Amino acid sequence: MSLADELLADLEEAAEEEEGGSYGEEEEEPAIEDVQEETQLDLSGDSVKSIAKLWDSKMFAEIMMKIEEYISKQAKASEVMGPVEAAPEYRVIVDANNLTVEIENELNIIHKFIRDKYSKRFPELESLVPNALDYIRTVKELGNSLDKCKNNENLQQILTNATIMVVSVTASTTQGQQLTEEELERLEEACDMALELNASKHRIYEYVESRMSFIAPNLSIIIGASTAAKIMGVAGGLTNLSKMPACNIMLLGAQRKTLSGFSSTSVLPHTGYIYHSDIVQSLPPDLRRKAARLVAAKCTLAARVDSFHESTEGKPLPCPQVGYELKDEIERKFDKWQEPPPVKQVKPLPAPLDGQRKKRGGRRYRKMKERLGLTEIRKQANRMSFGEIEEDAYQEDLGFSLGHLGKSGSGRVRQTQVNEATKARISKTLQRTLQKQSVVYGGKSTIRDRSSGTASSVAFTPLQGLEIVNPQAAEKKVAEANQKYFSSMAEFLKVKGEKNGLMST
């Protein structure tokens, strides 16, 4: 067999297998369709009683009968003394609270039944009225004649004026068909059943709220009677609820949803009845988990108070004083959480606390000031004359001048000043030094050199200009002259030149 024949044989075998698989699928299709038809018959039967069986159930009738029986009785505080689970009415309250959940599911089923049936007449009504009970009441009011939308007082009590206007405009352009009398009767029957179930649910709520005020008054004040009854039923009674910690009470009623292949962002983990209560849902979404923890903690305290059934401060039972105090505390914290942040104010810097530094005094400090202070020469060099052109000291246009130094009228540089008050305390050596410094030799300035034993001086004279003299010889000569002529012991002397007969002193 050639290669082409082998390929043709393989293709024929593959085609036979595909045909065999298609035959098998065609044989299984009727079974799937039968199942789908059966499910459609279950959800949308000819009568609403074929899918909604709670209304005719025995359990529903017994619970409603017991509720009416206990409502007719007057509630007494003596009936709830001791453990609340021992009260005969406690089981009725728990069953009635669980019945409300079943009524909610039944109303959803009836709403789907009415929506499927009435979509033949007015398919657009479902999108215009999203609320289930409002939709059921609107269907019962309109029926087959859509012209009732205009000027209908009963419809105005159900829907708003804007919604009625939109419904009337859409009804005039709808492509729906008229319903038969049988279909209309089935719709009216379903609407009546749904409204009666809703009335029964409200009746149960009123009963539970009235009885919870005697069984658990403080707990009912905080989270409401309906939620209080739910968490009591899940916990197994008020006594068991009072023994549970707050973290477990917050999780009562939590449902675990497993959505394989779907996103779990919409699923709220660790959320129970308390999270879905009205007091928690009234807050923004970002604060609800924090609020649920706070409410669960306060519910634990309220349940422990209610479990004793004792009065506070001599008040008659039931006494919800603790519940009111806890709820006020919760509301204050809720308000605190939602307050806007305070406005930041720009404050000036405070005055420095450091005081004025203590100035150092004493001989060392005075010496330092004398050493670092400005001398008289520097002060004269820094002093400038107004309106005069200064001469450059270096004659190189550097702008450095000597100020008042060396100018006529500037006077001589002042020497060391001696305080007369302290002159008596100066040593004799210092006095002689100051006396020597006060002598001016020949010119305007004198430069003394004490580094060597033989002192010399440079004097500026008008005749010879620069002249080097011995200051000690000059001092000695002056001292001798003073001692000879101006001494206090000197007397009149005779001068040799007596030719003219004159005497000199």
Side-chain angles (χ1 to χ4, degrees):
M1 183 181 292
S2 63
L3 181 60
D5 294 336
E6 291 180 359
L7 293 175
L8 289 175
D10 293 339
L11 291 174
E12 289 176 359
E13 290 178 0
E16 289 177 359
E17 290 177 359
E18 290 179 358
E19 290 176 358
S22 63
Y23 292 152
E25 291 177 358
E26 289 178 357
E27 291 176 357
E28 292 177 359
E29 281 180 0
I32 296 175
E33 290 178 356
D34 293 340
V35 172
Q36 291 177 356
E37 288 178 358
E38 288 176 0
T39 54
Q40 288 179 0
L41 288 174
D42 291 337
L43 294 175
S44 58
D46 294 337
S47 176
V48 70
K49 293 183 179 180
S50 61
I51 58 172
K53 300 178 181 180
L54 180 63
W55 179 257
D56 296 332
S57 63
K58 182 179 179 181
M59 179 263 297
F60 179 80
E62 289 178 355
I63 292 176
M64 294 304 298
M65 187 184 301
K66 290 180 181 179
I67 287 174
E68 295 296 334
E69 180 181 353
Y70 282 111
I71 286 177
S72 60
K73 294 181 180 180
Q74 293 183 356
K76 297 180 181 179
S78 59
E79 297 179 1
V80 293
M81 294 300 293
V84 70
E85 292 81 1
E89 195 177 359
Y90 172 73
R91 178 50 53 186
V92 178
I93 294 174
V94 175
D95 294 340
N97 195 43
N98 296 332
L99 183 61
T100 56
V101 180
E102 298 182 8
I103 291 176
E104 289 287 347
N105 298 332
E106 198 80 357
L107 287 175
N108 292 332
I109 295 173
I110 297 174
H111 173 250
K112 293 179 181 178
F113 174 82
I114 297 173
R115 183 188 60 190
D116 294 340
K117 293 297 182 181
Y118 198 70
S119 60
K120 179 181 177 182
R121 181 68 185 91
F122 194 0
E124 297 85 1
L125 185 62
E126 178 186 357
S127 60
L128 299 178
V129 185
N131 191 9
L133 289 175
D134 294 342
Y135 181 85
I136 293 171
R137 293 190 183 99
T138 306
V139 170
K140 183 179 180 181
E141 187 65 30
L142 294 179
N144 234 349
S145 58
L146 301 181
D147 298 335
K148 294 181 180 179
C149 296
K150 301 176 181 179
N151 300 326
N152 192 338
E153 296 181 357
N154 296 331
L155 197 62
Q156 291 178 356
Q157 298 178 359
I158 302 171
L159 305 176
T160 60
N161 294 331
T163 308
I164 293 173
M165 184 180 298
V166 175
V167 169
S168 61
V169 172
T170 309
S172 61
T173 60
T174 185
Q175 301 296 328
Q177 300 176 2
Q178 291 287 335
L179 299 174
T180 61
E181 294 182 359
E182 295 180 358
E183 294 175 345
L184 195 59
E185 289 178 359
R186 292 168 188 164
L187 280 175
E188 291 180 355
E189 181 184 5
C191 292
D192 293 338
M193 181 183 292
L195 296 177
E196 289 175 359
L197 284 174
N198 186 52
S200 301
K201 183 182 71 172
H202 287 290
R203 186 69 171 170
I204 292 173
Y205 281 156
E206 292 176 359
Y207 165 71
V208 170
E209 290 177 2
S210 64
R211 298 307 297 163
M212 285 299 296
S213 61
F214 288 92
I215 296 175
N218 298 289
L219 188 62
S220 302
I221 290 296
I222 297 176
I223 56 175
S226 178
T227 308
K230 288 179 182 178
I231 63 175
M232 282 175 57
V234 175
L238 185 60
T239 304
N240 293 338
L241 183 66
S242 63
K243 296 178 181 180
M244 293 177 64
C247 57
N248 293 352
I249 291 180
M250 186 179 65
L251 301 180
L252 293 178
Q255 297 179 358
R256 180 177 297 177
K257 298 180 181 180
T258 56
L259 302 175
S260 59
F262 295 93
S263 175
S264 60
T265 55
S266 61
V267 180
L268 296 173
H270 308 293
T271 55
Y273 291 131
I274 293 180
Y275 182 84
H276 296 286
S277 61
D278 295 336
I279 188 173
V280 177
Q281 293 296 319
S282 62
L283 293 177
D286 56 336
L287 295 176
R288 288 175 185 173
R289 286 189 178 274
K290 185 178 180 181
R293 290 192 290 268
L294 176 63
V295 173
K298 301 306 178 184
C299 288
T300 305
L301 301 178
R304 291 169 184 173
V305 173
D306 292 333
S307 62
F308 288 97
H309 299 288
E310 295 180 358
S311 175
T312 57
E313 299 179 1
K315 296 183 179 180
L317 290 172
C319 182
Q321 181 183 0
V322 178
Y324 284 117
E325 294 176 357
L326 294 176
K327 188 173 182 181
D328 292 341
E329 184 178 354
I330 292 172
E331 291 177 352
R332 285 197 303 270
K333 289 189 177 181
F334 285 177
D335 296 339
K336 186 68 175 178
W337 293 348
Q338 300 181 74
E339 285 182 358
V343 180
K344 293 184 179 180
Q345 298 180 357
V346 181
K347 296 182 179 179
L349 293 176
L353 299 178
D354 298 337
Q356 188 176 6
R357 291 185 178 181
K358 184 178 180 181
K359 293 183 179 180
R360 183 181 176 90
R363 180 173 173 272
R364 291 176 57 190
Y365 185 72
R366 290 193 299 271
K367 290 293 183 181
M368 183 188 70
K369 287 183 65 177
E370 292 177 2
R371 184 174 67 253
L372 301 179
L374 284 177
T375 61
E376 292 293 333
I377 296 176
R378 179 59 60 186
K379 290 180 182 179
Q380 294 292 334
N382 291 339
R383 187 171 300 172
M384 309 292 292
S385 299
F386 180 76
E388 294 182 3
I389 299 177
E390 299 289 340
E391 295 181 0
D392 191 5
Y394 296 102
Q395 299 180 358
E396 294 179 359
D397 298 333
L398 295 178
F400 179 77
S401 64
L402 297 179
H404 280 194
L405 284 179
K407 291 185 179 181
S408 60
S410 61
R412 63 184 180 87
V413 179
R414 300 178 62 187
Q415 298 299 320
T416 306
Q417 300 294 323
V418 179
N419 189 1
E420 297 295 337
T422 60
K423 189 174 181 180
R425 290 179 291 178
I426 299 176
S427 62
K428 294 182 179 180
T429 305
L430 183 58
Q431 290 182 9
R432 288 195 300 268
T433 303
L434 293 175
Q435 185 178 1
K436 291 177 181 180
Q437 290 180 357
S438 61
V439 177
V440 180
Y441 303 100
K444 294 183 179 180
S445 63
T446 302
I447 301 175
R448 299 174 59 85
D449 187 8
R450 297 180 179 272
S451 60
S452 61
T454 59
S456 63
S457 176
V458 179
F460 297 92
T461 61
L463 297 177
Q464 298 179 359
L466 217 48
E467 182 181 358
I468 300 177
V469 297
N470 188 358
Q472 293 181 355
E475 291 177 3
K476 185 177 181 181
K477 185 177 180 180
V478 172
E480 291 177 354
N482 292 335
Q483 187 176 5
K484 182 177 180 180
Y485 295 103
F486 300 101
S487 176
S488 58
M489 302 298 296
E491 299 178 355
F492 288 101
L493 298 177
K494 293 182 179 180
V495 184
K496 292 181 179 181
E498 296 179 352
K499 294 179 180 181
N500 298 328
L502 297 175
M503 295 295 291
S504 63
T505 58

